[in-house]
Amino acid sequence: MAFTARGTAARTTAIAAIGALAMLGLAGCKDTAHPATSPSASTSSSTPSSSASATPDATQSATPAPTHAPGTPIGLDCNGLLSPQDVYDFNPNTTLQPAYKPKSGSDGSAALSFNGISCGLVNNSSGAITSVSVAHPAASDLAALKSAAAKGTAVSGLGDAAFFSTSGQTGQLQVFTGPFWITASSVFFGTADDARQLAGDAIAAVK
């Protein structure tokens, strides 16, 4: 009987040890599957940044300042400025381009900024554009344009004053007649005489 009691006690101790190990294993699995959440971490993620909300949007506050007076509309479109005969007389292989838009920084773009017009004549063979533009700037702006144009070569027989200059392969004729500023630019203008006919047509149209 003493042998049996000792065997029973040993088995009881072993079962108790196995049970304790199993409980520890379950506790370890529970900690791994459900890690503790830091209260400070959840609080900081849900709190909006006060410094971000205090910074204004730069795109909303930036307002470009006007560089000059808007000018006066001239009351003509390109078909009224240059007739089909005018375009043909300049070059039979040239047509007026209805959707013409001058490049940024060009004399045509400047004319549009004064509420003027800019017309493009496309060479049907090469695709080169000849531009003719007219604007009626404010008196002070007209004087500034004339002063800048005077750096070129003076041309007689056109308007009140006219000047020719070149930039790269492009020739430009600027004419000042009354309150109007007229420009003609093209790679086909090697001299002022090459642009004289178109400039003369534009002068006649605005009189």
Side-chain angles (χ1 to χ4, degrees):
M1 294 297 292
F3 178 80
T4 303
R6 285 197 298 270
T8 300
R11 284 195 297 272
T12 301
T13 301
I15 291 172
I18 292 171
L21 290 173
M23 291 297 292
L24 288 174
L26 289 174
C29 291
K30 182 177 180 180
D31 290 341
T32 303
H34 301 283
T37 302
S38 171
S40 60
S42 61
T43 301
S44 62
S45 63
S46 60
T47 304
S49 171
S50 58
S51 60
S53 60
T55 304
D57 188 350
T59 59
Q60 293 178 357
S61 60
T63 302
T67 56
H68 56 68
T72 303
I74 67 170
L76 288 173
D77 60 11
C78 290
N79 289 316
L81 183 68
L82 298 172
S83 69
Q85 188 64 49
D86 293 336
V87 175
Y88 182 86
D89 290 343
F90 167 65
N91 187 331
N93 194 36
T94 297
T95 54
L96 193 65
Q97 188 179 41
Y100 171 68
K101 292 183 179 180
K103 293 181 179 179
S104 177
S106 66
D107 52 343
S109 178
L112 294 182
S113 74
F114 289 112
N115 278 322
I117 62 173
S118 184
C119 310
L121 284 65
V122 61
N123 184 285
N124 298 324
S125 298
S126 66
I129 297 291
T130 296
S131 69
V132 180
S133 305
V134 181
H136 180 178
S140 59
D141 292 319
L142 185 68
L145 290 166
K146 186 175 180 180
S147 177
K151 296 176 183 178
T153 303
V155 178
S156 62
L158 288 171
D160 302 324
F163 306 92
F164 182 79
S165 61
T166 58
S167 177
Q169 297 182 346
T170 300
Q172 180 191 54
L173 178 63
Q174 300 185 64
V175 179
F176 300 86
T177 179
F180 298 103
W181 174 49
I182 298 172
T183 68
S185 302
S186 178
V187 294
F188 299 115
F189 296 162
T191 67
D193 286 340
D194 296 329
R196 185 178 291 272
Q197 181 246 307
L198 284 177
D201 293 335
I203 292 171
V206 297
K207 282 185 175 180

